[in-house]
Amino acid sequence: MNKVAGLILAGGEARRMQGQDKGLVLFQGKPLIEHVIERLRPQVNEIWISANRHLEEYREFGFPVIEDLSEFKGMGPLAGLASLAPYLPEAITHVQLAACDTPFLVYDMTARLLSFLGQAEAQCMATLPALEGHVHQFSSLLVKRQALAHLAHFLRTDAKRRIQGFLDQVHMLPCYDYSFTLEHMRNFNSHDDIRDYLSL
């Protein structure tokens, strides 16, 4: 039986938010990460938050907070996933990523990704929401636990440490599903992004 851990990525430097922690930026009256939690929580068995600042503020949301391990600090979103791996309970079979600035996630995204991954060839270890035209939501990656065994080595040896580079190694296939839209994939990188959205 599949058991999924949700990992909300809130560990970036948020340069385009003038250094303000993106997950804690208010949107429609509550922090961005709270929107993500509300959508992700019903889809997974447990939630973890990856953060490197404001750890106490993130703990107030009621979930374990994981700081990037020292050897992976500054290595981007994959650092959060690699740092979670040692803490995962044995029963967990998959990890569902979600960025703290993606408040419109599909409510059954994980179920759809799990179904797709279950029907894919055995060597496929990851999938993510995708749209025709090569719009891929890398921050919403669903990855099999087995793939994490390759991740630490990848971060230690690959100079660029790009998500795409890791996914090439673990054979990712994108999931094109009618329920995924550009709106669901929308993320807010800056205060201007939020203002522009609210002015629509």
Side-chain angles (χ1 to χ4, degrees):
M1 180 179 176
N2 293 321
K3 285 191 174 294
V4 184
L7 178 63
I8 301 177
L9 301 171
E13 296 180 2
R15 293 185 180 92
R16 284 179 282 180
M17 282 285 188
Q18 291 81 51
Q20 188 176 358
D21 202 320
K22 277 202 291 188
L24 302 177
V25 171
L26 292 182
F27 172 65
Q28 295 180 336
K30 53 191 176 185
L32 274 170
I33 194 171
E34 192 170 334
H35 294 273
V36 178
I37 289 170
E38 288 176 358
R39 292 195 172 228
L40 186 63
R41 187 174 188 177
Q43 304 190 48
V44 298
N45 297 94
E46 55 187 74
I47 283 181
W48 301 71
I49 298 173
S50 168
N52 292 302
R53 299 182 294 160
H54 306 113
L55 305 185
E56 289 306 316
E57 287 91 331
Y58 280 118
R59 289 190 181 104
E60 291 178 5
F61 291 100
F63 303 100
V65 176
I66 295 294
E67 192 173 1
D68 289 349
L69 297 174
S70 57
E71 68 170 314
F72 301 134
K73 280 192 180 295
M75 294 186 181
L78 288 176
L81 185 56
S83 300
L84 171 67
Y87 299 98
L88 279 178
E90 290 186 10
I92 294 296
T93 59
H94 298 73
V95 178
Q96 173 71 70
L97 299 185
C100 66
D101 63 349
T102 53
F104 305 118
L105 297 175
V106 179
Y107 284 106
D108 62 349
M109 173 182 71
T110 300
R112 292 180 181 277
L113 294 178
L114 276 173
S115 176
F116 175 81
L117 200 53
Q119 296 172 43
E121 56 241 50
Q123 65 266 37
C124 177
M125 293 195 199
T127 187
L128 46 73
L131 299 176
E132 298 297 339
H134 307 290
V135 178
H136 294 172
Q137 182 56 287
F138 288 101
S139 65
S140 295
L141 176 73
L142 177 73
V143 59
K144 291 181 181 178
R145 187 192 185 117
Q146 302 96 290
L148 303 186
H150 308 277
L151 183 51
H153 177 74
F154 173 80
L155 289 174
R156 291 173 184 136
T157 58
D158 187 275
K160 296 183 178 179
R161 302 184 182 97
R162 294 174 58 247
I163 290 180
Q164 184 62 62
F166 172 65
L167 296 183
D168 288 342
Q169 290 190 6
V170 300
H171 187 51
M172 183 278 295
L173 289 176
C175 176
Y176 297 96
D177 189 287
Y178 72 90
S179 70
F180 300 146
T181 70
L182 280 174
E183 180 71 1
H184 295 127
M185 295 183 180
R186 183 188 294 271
N187 71 303
F188 295 128
N189 282 313
S190 68
H191 291 290
D192 286 341
D193 287 345
I194 294 176
R195 282 192 290 267
D196 290 346
Y197 177 81
L198 294 176
S199 67
L200 293 176

